[in-house]
Amino acid sequence: MDPSGLVITNNHVVDGASRIEVEFSDGRTLEAEIVGQDPPTDLAVIRLESDGEVFPHLALGDSDEVQVGEWVLAIGNPLGNSHSVTAGIVSAKGRVLGGDYQNFIQTDAAINFGNSGGPLVSLDGRLVGVNTMIQAVGGSGNIGLGFAVPSNLVQRVYDDLASAGQVTRGWLGVAIRPVDAEVAAAFDLDKDIRGAIITDYSGPESPAARAGLRRGDVIVRFNGRPIQNSTDLQFAVADARPDETSTVDILREGVALSVDVVLGQRDFREAAPLAEAAPPPDPVPTESPGRLGIVGETLAGELADRLQADFAGVVVRRVTPGGVAQRAGIEPGHVITELAGRPVGDVGDLRDALSGIEVGQPFPIWIARAVSPGQWQRTFVIVEAPE
């Protein structure tokens, strides 16, 4: 990546290594040291140990300009067969395979075990990606599904690792999901609206909460960048610097607003697992709206104390198999806090909110679920009003 001997590779290639050697095509080897690692993108920068040697290096291409169907070359060391080149095309862009900061280029250029960290090169000799992983069936190896980190993301990570040894990312402190046609219909938005809807935030001191962003706000632009889905927002926030003010354009109940947010810095502590949140035993039968296919109880008094919940709602005790609630993903232990824009403080509120919805109309149900004792996570499910 640099004539001074800075090399970018996959983090999984060097992670945990006690000694690193780099072999050149002429057979010589040089030792290297790790400069910085970034597990979220599976990238790492190492520095070759030499006495002022000037190294050849690849120029970066613009991965945003790479077209599906364009020819590319994958270079690497498959199964120890060093300096191997394969050819193929770009099969797709923007592939997300489960991580927060994934935006892979998919290629059918053969990427085999040992190609990790090698370059994906355009036909004009520019780096457009770093070969990272494949999808295979039963350990069968390459079947034409290879994935590379795009060069524009590589450049962003490389710059931070080379200069500071770590990647600094902005942090908004929200949980989000993409706005698709189903979500737009449930929230009575224009059918063509796309963005990322806030389902929760990490706490009252998160940057989003301090700025006044709310659950249900739809983020459509961030610092002027259009937001089409959750991935767009994750990358836009990550590219912004902590402690700087960012502008977030939102739709709140259909009204366009702009909110200034001072971002925090993202860390990568593991999220707490969902707690076992089974409801307490039924002392007496409880009456609840039958249209949803649940039996529930108002969250108050001794029940609220037992569940360490400082908010109002209806605790789901039982769910009818095959009913509307179960099909939507509502489970015993969840707490319904809002339905179709109306707060739910007790069973009566839930029944009243349901009574005003026409059969077949899609609407959101906001729920809280326990992630640890006294800690609750908010989200919503979408259902169509039953008969």
Side-chain angles (χ1 to χ4, degrees):
M1 292 287 285
D2 185 273
S4 67
L6 288 173
V7 176
I8 196 156
T9 186
N10 282 140
N11 183 59
H12 74 259
V13 172
V14 299
D15 190 37
S18 58
R19 183 183 178 199
I20 300 171
E21 285 189 341
V22 177
E23 182 179 352
F24 290 78
S25 57
D26 60 9
R28 68 189 176 115
T29 61
L30 287 177
E31 291 197 2
E33 63 176 0
I34 295 176
V35 175
Q37 299 173 262
D38 187 49
T41 56
D42 195 16
L43 294 173
V45 171
I46 62 175
R47 178 182 286 110
L48 298 170
E49 296 180 357
S50 68
D51 296 324
E53 182 176 350
V54 177
F55 294 94
H57 61 287
L58 272 176
L60 264 75
D62 184 348
S63 55
D64 288 346
E65 297 299 320
V66 172
Q67 300 295 309
V68 173
E70 179 177 334
W71 282 90
V72 287
L73 306 175
I75 304 173
N77 179 36
L79 301 177
N81 296 303
S82 62
H83 311 108
S84 174
V85 181
T86 55
I89 63 168
V90 172
S91 304
K93 296 173 64 178
R95 291 300 197 207
V96 178
L97 303 178
D100 283 344
Y101 296 103
Q102 293 184 352
N103 188 27
F104 289 119
I105 294 172
Q106 180 185 329
T107 179
D108 66 355
I111 297 175
N112 293 292
F113 298 114
N115 275 97
S116 292
L120 189 71
V121 182
S122 61
L123 292 189
D124 63 355
R126 293 180 178 272
L127 178 74
V128 295
V130 172
N131 303 326
T132 298
M133 64 182 296
I134 62 174
Q135 283 186 326
V137 179
S140 59
N142 174 62
I143 58 172
L145 291 173
F147 300 90
V149 180
S151 59
N152 288 354
L153 178 55
V154 170
Q155 180 74 74
R156 163 79 167 88
V157 172
Y158 170 80
D159 288 343
D160 274 9
L161 292 181
S163 62
Q166 63 180 0
V167 178
T168 301
R169 295 182 172 92
W171 176 62
L172 187 57
V174 293
I176 53 176
R177 62 180 284 182
V179 175
D180 54 19
E182 181 186 36
V183 173
F187 282 85
D188 199 25
L189 300 170
D190 186 283
K191 65 179 181 179
D192 296 323
I193 291 294
R194 295 294 179 266
I197 187 168
I198 298 174
T199 62
D200 204 359
Y201 34 77
S202 60
E205 296 304 313
S206 71
R210 291 200 306 268
L213 291 172
R214 303 177 186 172
R215 300 180 185 95
D217 287 347
V218 176
I219 299 176
V220 294
R221 299 180 74 87
F222 187 91
N223 282 340
R225 289 169 57 173
I227 303 301
Q228 295 289 319
N229 50 48
S230 301
T231 301
D232 287 348
L233 182 61
Q234 287 171 331
F235 278 100
V237 173
D239 286 344
R241 295 295 176 180
D243 301 322
E244 294 182 359
T245 300
S246 294
T247 301
V248 185
D249 294 327
I250 65 171
L251 292 175
R252 178 177 293 166
E253 298 179 354
V255 178
L257 301 170
S258 289
V259 178
D260 288 336
V261 181
V262 178
L263 298 179
Q265 181 169 335
R266 176 71 188 268
D267 64 30
F268 288 93
R269 293 172 294 182
E270 292 185 2
L274 293 180
E276 294 294 332
D282 260 334
V284 293
T286 54
E287 182 185 1
S288 291
R291 295 179 71 192
L292 284 181
I294 67 168
V295 173
E297 180 179 357
T298 299
L299 180 63
E302 188 272 336
L303 177 60
D305 292 341
R306 189 186 312 166
L307 296 180
Q308 299 181 45
D310 59 357
F311 53 90
V314 171
V315 180
V316 177
R317 290 183 175 276
R318 293 194 298 271
V319 179
T320 302
V324 172
Q326 187 187 58
R327 294 198 304 270
I330 295 176
E331 301 175 359
H334 289 172
V335 180
I336 297 174
T337 60
E338 185 179 316
L339 189 148
R342 295 178 59 174
V344 172
D346 55 34
V347 171
D349 290 340
L350 184 57
R351 185 186 303 107
D352 291 344
L354 273 172
S355 66
I357 300 176
E358 296 180 3
V359 174
Q361 177 184 340
F363 63 92
I365 298 177
W366 286 86
I367 61 174
R369 53 185 180 179
V371 295
S372 62
Q375 298 294 319
W376 295 81
Q377 181 185 72
R378 308 296 181 101
T379 190
F380 65 84
V381 297
I382 296 174
V383 303
E384 289 188 359
E387 296 181 0

